[in-house]
Amino acid sequence: MSTAEITTGAATPPPAPGGNRPGGGPFGKGTPLRRITVAAAYLAVVLLAWQLYVTLADVPSYLLPDPLSVGDALWRLASSGELWPHLGYTVRNIAVGLGAGIVIGSLLGWVIASFRTVRLILAPYVVILQAAPKIALAPLLVLWFGLGLGSQLALIVMLAFFPMMIAMMLGLGEVTDDQRALGRVLNLGPARFFRLVQLPTALPALFAGARIAVIDAMTGAFLAEYISAQQGLGFLMVQGRSTYDTPQLIAAVVLTVVVGLTGFALVSLVERRALPWRR
Amino acid sequence: MTHHTHEDTAPPEAAATDHRRLLEIRGVSKEYVSVKGASVRALDDVNLDIGDGEIIAIIGPSGCGKSTLLRMVAGLDTDYEGTIEWTRAPRPGRDIGFVFQEPALLPWRTVARNVSLGIEVQKDRSDLPTDRVDQLLELVGLRDFAKSYPKELSGGMRQRVAIVRALAYDPRILLMDEPFGALDAITRDKLHDDILRIWAATRKTIVFVTHSVEEAAYLADRVVVMSPRPGRLRSVHQVPLDRNRDAATRQLPVFAEFAGMLRGELA
Ligand SMILES: Nc1ncnc2c1ncn2[C@@H]1O[C@H](COP(=O)(O)OP(=O)(O)OP(=O)(O)O)[C@@H](O)[C@H]1O
Ligand SMILES: [Mg+2]
């Protein structure tokens, strides 16, 4: 079982900053009803294939349980009330970590894009950090921040700030020379130029970054819980594994993906609202 | 008025208005250093006086430094040799309206909000009528598009928005880089007359770049002809017409003759 595999799978739609239009969504365009139908049909096909495979290949349930028993495990967790504190814990951590990651990443991206000296000092670290498998740093974080909430949030922030930083740098780069000249003709100071020109220009890229950051935050939360937590969806997975309750293990993974996709959908929704001029 | 010109075809009686000097461009040269390190001399020893309330057209082959010169006058490019001195310095953010060669609209703002930008960012412009933006959009025939976004407009429509955006805050000096290039003949003629009407009402100083000798002859008091590589002032011509210009002006023999002479200068 590898969390990386699951999350890279979920993170596959990496919207190219600037290029991708909001509203495309993973299930294409159309009326909401139509899109939901398409999504549901897609899900049904996947579940059916899964069920068929398990039945036909006669896979033992401790290796891969069939969808029904996973559903059963989900229902058990939900109806016993055991699920909610775990779900709430993970969602809260994702929200807090993502929020901090967005703020820190955007600020850092702005500083790097705006100040030459900072860029010269930080650029090598940016490249190294980009190349490093950030997940491999998780044990190091546990070492630094202990086994508690601190290291968990640190991991989430570390994963989430990065796409935001890159997005801000790319987004600010989209300001044209003419727009800069316009700012000077109108005598906009740096603050007003940022608010009136730079930020709106960077916004599409920032939203694209946020969509990736949501998924990365989910990876971080799950991974952190997997390593160290006593609570959360990652913990449910660990618990499922150690009690040989594979359906619970899969249920926890499925829930995490659902949380990630919900976050993704929320960002897309806000994006559609915030960027009417891009439709 | 001092003319630093090689030839000046202006008959003295043709000088329609006498302008106090607003701007003195002395010995201005500009060298661009390209990405690869080679240097390009874009302007070479440019001397020009611009009078207050004067309309100046700049013509010349592509790449001769017209945009560069205009940007210097606007204070957008301060890296040059020589001096550009104002008799009365323009107040930052208020006195200069600039129409860029590309429309350079803000895509997230509607047409109306693009036009109002310059008014919004100034402290107190209660001197301007509240329906200023509507009036200007009416002027360029875009009132129905006030709530549209720039990407929903054609190239020529965007350029018209860019023109009225520069006019919106009623700047004293209007600098325009090929403002009418993307427009059809009818719209262009109408805008020419609108600009002349605005000039008659406000006596703005207008400097514009164009590739059309007819446009230069129709609008300007003086036409500056530039030569390429390195960009120099080849000549400055006083337009032999009085300020009252209308459709009939274009039919005058002297108009055709002057335009033909300019065309010859460019060749
Ligand atoms: N940012 C720049 N870096 C380097 N060289 C430049 C730059 N901008 C302009 N140049 C060079 O300076 C010269 C003059 O450019 P400019 O844009 O002023 O020409 P122009 O007369 O406005 O031409 P056009 O009619 O095509 O708009 C050109 O040869 C161009 O190669
Ligand atoms: Mg030009």
Side-chain angles (χ1 to χ4, degrees):
Chain A
M1 159 68 240
S2 108
T3 45
E5 201 174 290
I6 291 155
T7 46
T8 41
T12 27
N20 210 350
R21 295 267 165 70
F27 299 109
K29 286 194 189 299
T31 62
L33 188 67
R34 200 188 133 89
R35 297 217 323 248
I36 288 168
T37 318
V38 171
Y42 184 75
L43 191 65
V45 168
V46 170
L47 289 179
L48 195 70
W50 177 2
Q51 180 75 56
L52 278 176
Y53 172 67
V54 170
T55 316
L56 293 179
D58 202 16
V59 185
S61 108
Y62 65 86
L63 280 184
L64 181 64
D66 60 290
L68 279 178
S69 30
V70 172
D72 207 45
L74 270 176
W75 174 247
R76 188 163 36 78
L77 287 169
S79 57
S80 71
E82 196 191 345
L83 173 65
W84 310 116
H86 292 293
L87 182 66
Y89 182 81
T90 302
V91 168
R92 188 204 64 190
N93 285 359
I94 290 179
V96 172
L98 179 69
I102 287 178
V103 170
I104 294 172
S106 305
L107 271 175
L108 217 59
W110 174 76
V111 169
I112 289 178
S114 307
F115 304 101
R116 223 178 96 82
T117 37
V118 180
R119 182 161 56 242
L120 290 177
I121 295 167
L122 285 185
Y125 298 99
V126 171
V127 174
I128 291 169
L129 204 61
Q130 191 172 26
K134 281 156 248 136
I135 288 162
L137 296 176
L140 207 59
L141 289 177
V142 173
L143 209 61
W144 291 341
F145 295 96
L147 273 170
L149 191 60
S151 70
Q152 294 174 40
L153 285 177
L155 185 62
I156 301 173
V157 172
M158 257 207 39
L159 284 170
F161 95 92
F162 197 76
M164 294 311 294
M165 180 182 79
I166 298 291
M168 186 58 119
M169 288 163 65
L170 289 175
L172 290 178
E174 308 245 315
V175 176
T176 64
D177 289 347
D178 278 351
Q179 287 173 345
R180 258 187 284 277
L182 179 69
R184 291 184 61 183
V185 166
L186 296 178
N187 196 33
L188 306 179
R192 278 209 292 192
F193 186 64
F194 180 77
R195 183 168 58 83
L196 290 171
V197 178
Q198 289 181 301
L199 188 61
T201 303
L203 219 47
L206 287 176
F207 272 111
R211 288 202 246 172
I212 299 174
V214 166
I215 303 295
D216 284 0
M218 178 202 77
T219 314
F222 193 80
L223 193 69
E225 289 162 6
Y226 174 74
I227 294 172
S228 67
Q230 306 303 312
Q231 221 182 340
L233 294 176
F235 171 75
L236 276 184
M237 196 206 76
V238 175
Q239 196 185 47
R241 192 189 54 182
S242 52
T243 57
Y244 300 103
D245 187 350
T246 317
Q248 178 179 328
L249 187 155
I250 304 266
V253 172
V254 166
L255 277 170
T256 312
V257 171
V258 168
V259 168
L261 288 180
T262 307
F264 190 88
L266 278 176
V267 172
S268 303
L269 195 78
V270 177
E271 184 178 358
R272 279 169 69 81
R273 290 278 164 115
L275 308 177
W277 54 279
R278 300 259 299 175
R279 287 211 199 114
Chain B
M1 212 168 354
T2 359
H3 293 283
H4 291 259
T5 56
H6 309 285
E7 44 181 309
D8 199 330
T9 56
E13 71 276 11
T17 33
D18 202 20
H19 307 276
R20 282 182 301 118
R21 188 168 70 203
L22 175 66
L23 186 64
E24 186 179 294
I25 301 171
R26 283 285 167 275
V28 164
S29 301
K30 164 89 189 177
E31 210 141 289
Y32 280 114
V33 178
S34 77
V35 182
K36 294 210 176 100
S39 66
V40 179
R41 202 159 178 81
L43 289 177
D44 188 58
D45 190 29
V46 171
N47 294 285
L48 182 69
D49 282 6
I50 295 176
D52 198 7
E54 204 177 13
I55 305 182
I56 302 257
I58 302 175
I59 60 174
S62 180
C64 70
K66 305 182 295 294
S67 299
T68 305
L69 184 60
L70 205 64
R71 292 170 59 86
M72 285 174 179
V73 171
L76 293 171
D77 186 346
T78 48
D79 178 26
Y80 54 82
E81 294 157 42
T83 56
I84 295 182
E85 264 170 42
W86 296 86
T87 308
R88 185 152 61 110
R91 290 164 294 175
R94 171 132 187 187
D95 281 344
I96 289 185
F98 201 103
V99 180
F100 297 89
Q101 197 163 347
E102 307 293 327
L105 302 177
L106 304 182
W108 55 89
R109 285 184 163 236
T110 60
V111 165
R113 302 240 309 137
N114 262 287
V115 174
S116 66
L117 180 68
I119 304 173
E120 266 172 49
V121 299
Q122 289 183 9
K123 274 203 201 71
D124 176 32
R125 291 314 302 264
S126 48
D127 58 311
L128 299 171
T130 47
D131 63 344
R132 172 93 181 154
V133 171
D134 288 338
Q135 280 178 15
L136 286 169
L137 287 177
E138 183 79 60
L139 184 75
V140 290
L142 288 176
R143 197 156 182 176
D144 293 343
F145 292 88
K147 292 200 163 59
S148 302
Y149 288 101
K151 74 174 217 172
E152 297 165 318
L153 306 185
S154 75
M157 291 158 93
R158 284 181 210 159
Q159 195 59 21
R160 280 182 270 162
V161 177
I163 292 169
V164 289
R165 173 180 63 187
L167 284 169
Y169 49 98
D170 196 24
R172 263 196 319 122
I173 302 141
L174 186 58
L175 306 173
M176 305 191 284
D177 199 346
E178 300 183 33
F180 312 113
L183 306 180
D184 65 276
I186 307 276
T187 310
R188 195 181 321 140
D189 287 354
K190 181 184 168 300
L191 276 178
H192 286 168
D193 290 329
D194 289 332
I195 290 285
L196 289 182
R197 217 156 19 79
I198 289 170
W199 179 86
T202 59
R203 300 289 161 122
K204 294 179 194 312
T205 307
I206 301 177
V207 182
F208 70 102
V209 173
T210 177
H211 282 292
S212 156
V213 291
E214 280 80 14
E215 185 169 286
Y218 188 66
L219 292 178
D221 294 313
R222 281 190 299 150
V223 180
V224 173
V225 184
M226 293 182 65
S227 64
R229 239 156 284 137
R232 287 206 177 97
L233 295 203
R234 183 191 176 104
S235 52
V236 179
H237 302 279
Q238 189 83 34
V239 178
L241 297 163
D242 65 20
R243 273 271 42 121
N244 300 318
R245 301 180 192 179
D246 53 31
T249 307
R250 293 193 177 89
Q251 312 301 327
L252 296 175
V254 59
F255 180 88
E257 193 188 321
F258 183 71
M261 187 274 300
L262 288 179
R263 188 165 282 117
E265 287 266 290
L266 282 176

